[in-house]
Amino acid sequence: MFYIFTGDGKGKTTAALGQALRAIGDGKKVLMIQFIKGPWLSGEDESCKRLAPDFELRKRGKGFVGILNDTLPRKDHEDAAQDALAELARETESGAWHIVIADEINNALDLNLIAEDDAARLVDIAVTKKIDLIFTGRGAKQKFIDRADLVSEVHDVKHPFYEGKKARRGIEY
Ligand code: ATP
Ligand code: MG
């Protein structure tokens, strides 16, 4: 099955991580590859080590694209995202995983770091190999929404960020 977690509220990546936790309990092996998310570490980078080798989390991004303190050439972001997509395709093809998660791939598509046709090929591989595939991130493209078996949209009703509250370690990252 092909799943998408999208929307402007908090809970997309953590929903995918929760799905991984549940599947691992059922003896499944899960791979998450992250787009855009770069050198900084989140709580899950640590906790996933305790679930190895059933869960692997690989950060393949270079950080925020074109905002905040991003000084990298756009080409570096594109290369990283295209390499991440190629790696996802290889790993999905390999049959080593029951669930493959492409975290923040919707953002990578929205930013045109990767081509829609290349991401569609990843979906083709997952369908052919009968691997569960999850796309996360804001702004999911209609083409993928049409193709997905399940789409959940997390809507932002309220977030402490808008009251000037800083992101907290272990909650936001
Ligand atoms: P999480 O990783 O907590 O599940 P997410 O995957 O839904 O969040 P992203 O769009 O990937 O959200 O954003 C990553 C970071 O931004 C996280 O720290 C998340 O908590 C925070 N965030 C998510 N939604 C909002 C929002 N509406 N306003 C402010 N910050 C947000
Ligand atoms: Mg996320």
Side-chain angles (χ1 to χ4, degrees):
M1 296 266 183
F2 174 35
Y3 306 91
I4 299 177
F5 301 149
T6 192
D8 62 357
K10 170 177 161 58
K12 302 170 293 288
T13 297
T14 45
L17 289 166
Q19 194 59 68
L21 193 62
R22 177 176 286 167
I24 290 159
D26 190 43
K28 294 187 165 64
K29 290 182 65 100
V30 183
L31 173 69
M32 176 185 269
I33 290 186
Q34 298 183 314
F35 291 81
I36 299 164
K37 285 178 177 167
W40 73 87
L41 294 181
S42 290
E44 58 265 33
D45 295 297
E46 202 47 52
S47 47
C48 72
K49 291 180 198 159
R50 301 184 204 170
L51 294 170
D54 298 325
F55 187 36
E56 248 189 68
L57 173 49
R58 305 180 190 165
K59 291 185 123 64
R60 294 294 189 247
K62 301 265 174 200
F64 292 113
V65 183
I67 52 166
L68 298 175
N69 51 357
D70 178 26
T71 53
L72 284 180
R74 192 185 148 84
K75 175 89 169 54
D76 288 12
H77 289 294
E78 289 173 357
D79 288 350
Q82 284 159 20
D83 288 351
L85 186 55
E87 186 178 354
L88 274 162
R90 276 197 311 276
E91 292 287 0
T92 306
E93 182 89 60
S94 78
W97 310 98
H98 297 94
I99 300 182
V100 171
I101 304 168
D103 189 36
E104 314 300 345
I105 190 172
N106 296 336
N107 306 62
L109 282 160
D110 200 37
L111 290 161
N112 287 315
L113 297 180
I114 51 174
E116 282 193 22
D117 285 351
D118 292 338
R121 266 193 289 279
L122 170 63
V123 180
D124 292 339
I125 295 170
V127 169
T128 307
K129 300 288 269 183
K130 297 192 175 3
I131 307 294
D132 284 309
L133 177 66
I134 303 178
F135 278 16
T136 89
R138 292 170 185 230
K141 297 271 184 186
Q142 193 59 45
K143 174 177 179 147
F144 295 96
I145 290 175
D146 291 344
R147 186 112 193 249
D149 299 285
L150 179 152
V151 181
S152 287
E153 185 169 33
V154 192
H155 173 56
D156 177 41
V157 176
K158 219 176 178 184
H159 195 293
F161 173 80
Y162 300 107
E163 287 173 4
K165 300 214 170 83
K166 289 206 177 107
R168 288 193 297 155
R169 178 155 181 81
I171 303 290
E172 250 84 47
Y173 63 95

